[in-house]
């Protein structure tokens, strides 16, 4: 289909909100209905179902639609639709509903946003779904991981009646429904609109690519970044949107718009690209940019890319005739040093020098406060990112000591606390094992369950301290590796993490027996005592290992300061 044949401002829009009188009636009805609290992903899906971004869907897919979407990328009636949009619920909830029932769907604040009339209920083969939709059951793929490890086992299909849209408190001026965006296009006189999808901050290469794409098809440009759910580990959307607002100034006046899309991405590569195109058609766009590795999930367990770099373009091209929106394919843009210009990689001539900074390298430079060249990004964008991701010496940090009772954790932790206080700069908090047990965890004992809960609490508090830019020094026994891993993940989401294994041998700890606990443990007076009658799983890859038979507390604390310095946490 050529772009001339594409109707401006999208095709038929299926909005699922009922009129205000009916909405009032539904609100009254809700109290008597079974109620399901939507998960973050379901909430994103529900919002886009209700506002018509997922037209022609009229609700969460029933079994026949689901099966054909999974296997052939089509609804049961043959309409092209590549992504299963399903409502997954627990077995316990499913046991209480049957076909024909009505369910109130609520947002996390408890507000009912829609009523689902159940048409189907079934237990899908989620592994088969992963293989069919994502081409793999390797759960390093975020879409596969969601299906296999984070979704509920029963799907409930049915039509939706929308009561009210979920509330967003952030960037309200930049959020549009498909109808609102179509109206804006009409008002602005935009006949041809090329949409750009992104989940990353935009730098010069993206600006060049989008500007060229718009020029090429003689269209206005809509930057439509995803702010629903993207790939775990991505830069948060608050920071990104501030960056997008900065980049708008880099386009000629009146040519370019910004609108946020509350989509929950699946990172499904080619299928996802098709889905994105259909969504953009629903928003009234006539063209859609598909670049290199569109919605790519990265690499699998074996270190290979899940999809080829241009697989998405190929798949969209295959279905171009029935899409109703024109793809604008683009190669990767690179900076050509001799020309001091960006160019698609396939237009680089022999002998020319190409410069590029990968996402990983860019993040390293941010983390270490290193130079980011002007050819790569814009000062305003870099400034926003530096504000949100300061270099390590200004980030929060968790220093996590682990080791047997009497190994010297508390003494070293305290020495380190004092040294850091002497240096100044960041607030320092000590979460010592004994201290935590007196305050935060006073009701807990020493079963595995209670120990894990204790460490989880310490991890939670420590991560909050790191988030606020402080240093949290933790010194519990923390005998279980899995929980220590969880604490690391919590901390690293907000700052740094240093695990210090105080590896003083059991014999030495027992010989010291400062609190007389080992003697009691040997005598069976204290049960479940770590190292005697309860396990201690040694850390495999701690940042540091300290044996207090060889180093004094002062020396050990000093070694940690040196480690902090070498990792860039102190300057
Ligand atoms: S855990 O496993 O991390 O939750 O333990 P933690 O909170 O660090 O333990 C704090 C102190 O409790 C004393 N204590 C015991 N330790 C181990 N096992 C048993 N059964 C036990 N009962 C009491 C012990 O003094 C721990 O303090 P430290 O400073 O490590 O000696």
């Amino acid at each position: 289909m050529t772009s001339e044949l594409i109707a401006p401002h999208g095709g038929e829009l299926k909005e699922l909100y009922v009129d205000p009188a009916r909405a009032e009636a539904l609100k009254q009805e809700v109290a008597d209905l079974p109620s399901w609290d939507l998960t973050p992903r379901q909430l994103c899906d529900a919002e886009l179902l209700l506002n018509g971004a997922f037209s022609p869907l009229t609700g969460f897919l029933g079994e026949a639609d689901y099966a054909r979407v999974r296997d052939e990328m089509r609804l049961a009636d043959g309409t092209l639709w590549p992504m299963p949009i399903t409502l997954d619920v627990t077995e316990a909830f499913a046991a209480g509903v049957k076909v024909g029932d009505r369910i109130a769907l609520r947002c996390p604040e408890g507000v009912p946003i829609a009523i689902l009339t159940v048409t189907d209920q079934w237990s899908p083969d989620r592994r088969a779904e992963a293989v069919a939709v994502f081409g793999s059951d390797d759960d390093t793929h975020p879409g596969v991981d969601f299906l296999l490890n984070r979704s509920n086992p029963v799907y409930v299909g049915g039509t939706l009646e929308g009561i009210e849209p979920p509330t967003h408190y952030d960037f309200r001026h930049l959020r549009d429904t498909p109808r609102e965006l179509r109206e804006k296009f009409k008002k602005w006189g935009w006949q041809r609109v090329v949409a750009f999808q992104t989940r990353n901050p935009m730098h010069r290469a993206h600006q060049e690519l989008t500007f060229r794409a718009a020029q090429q098809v003689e269209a206005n440009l809509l930057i439509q970044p995803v702010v629903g759910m993207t790939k775990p580990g991505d830069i948060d959307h608050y920071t990104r949107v501030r960056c997008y607002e900065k980049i708008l100034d880099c386009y000629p006046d009146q040519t370019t718009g910004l609108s946020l899309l509350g989509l929950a991405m699946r990172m499904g590569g080619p299928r996802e690209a098709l889905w994105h195109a259909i969504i953009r058609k629903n928003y009234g766009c006539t063209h859609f940019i598909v670049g290199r590795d569109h919605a790519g999930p990265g690499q699998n367990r074996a270190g290979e890319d899940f999809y080829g770099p241009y697989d998405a373009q190929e798949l969209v091209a295959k279905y171009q005739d029935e899409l109703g929106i024109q793809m604008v394919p683009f190669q990767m843009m690179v900076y050509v040093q001799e020309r001091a210009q960006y160019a698609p990689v396939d237009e680089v001539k022999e002998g020319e020098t190409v410069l590029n900074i990968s996402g990983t390298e860019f993040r390293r430079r941010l983390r270490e406060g290193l130079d980011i060249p002007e050819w790569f990004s814009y000062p305003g964008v870099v400034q926003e990112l530096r504000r949100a991701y300061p270099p390590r010496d200004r980030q929060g940090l968790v220093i996590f000591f682990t080791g047997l009772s009497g190994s010297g954790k508390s003494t070293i932790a305290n020495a380190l606390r004092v040294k850091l206080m002497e240096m100044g700069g960041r607030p320092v908090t000590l979460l010592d094992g004994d201290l935590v047990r007196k305050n935060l965890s006073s009701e807990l004992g020493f079963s595995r369950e209670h120990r894990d809960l204790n460490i989880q609490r310490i991890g939670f508090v420590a991560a909050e301290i790191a988030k606020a830019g402080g240093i949290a020094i933790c010194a519990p026994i923390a005998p279980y590796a899995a929980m220590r891993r969880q604490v690391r993940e919590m901390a690293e989401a907000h700052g740094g993490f240093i695990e210090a294994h105080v590896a003083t041998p059991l014999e030495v700890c027992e010989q010291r027996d400062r609190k007389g606990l080992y003697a009691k443990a040997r005598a069976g007076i204290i049960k479940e005592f770590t190292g005697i009658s309860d396990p201690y799983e040694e850390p495999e890859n701690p940042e540091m290992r300290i044996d207090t038979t060889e180093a004094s507390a002062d020396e050990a604390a000093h070694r940690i300061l040196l480690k902090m310095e070498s990792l860039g946490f102190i300057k």
Side-chain angles (χ1 to χ4, degrees), residues 421-485:
M421 303 278 278
E422 182 187 340
M423 290 170 69
R426 282 178 285 205
V428 186
T429 307
L430 177 58
L431 296 166
D432 187 38
D434 272 339
L435 204 79
V436 168
R437 288 239 169 222
K438 275 202 195 82
N439 298 288
L440 259 188
S441 296
S442 54
E443 86 287 18
L444 299 183
F446 288 87
S447 63
R448 173 161 192 160
E449 194 194 349
H450 276 194
R451 287 179 196 262
D452 277 350
L453 197 53
N454 181 39
I455 302 307
Q456 198 176 34
R457 289 177 187 174
I458 294 175
F460 172 77
V461 175
E464 288 296 311
I465 290 168
K467 188 156 116 190
I471 298 180
I473 307 174
C474 313
I477 297 175
Y480 299 113
M483 187 45 74
R484 291 195 301 258
R485 201 174 322 117

Side-chain angles (χ1 to χ4, degrees), residues 229-277:
M229 292 171 75
T230 62
K231 196 175 161 195
D234 278 349
I235 292 193
D236 69 274
H237 82 268
Y238 301 102
T239 307
R240 284 191 289 118
V241 175
R242 292 197 298 272
C243 292
Y244 302 135
E245 285 184 311
K246 293 258 154 66
I247 214 165
L248 272 187
D249 296 337
C250 306
Y251 295 91
D253 268 358
Q254 323 267 327
T255 60
T256 304
L258 172 64
S259 182
L260 309 183
L261 181 64
L263 177 72
M265 290 180 71
R266 274 62 163 168
M267 307 311 301
R271 272 202 191 219
E272 180 125 356
L274 263 185
W275 184 39
H276 288 178

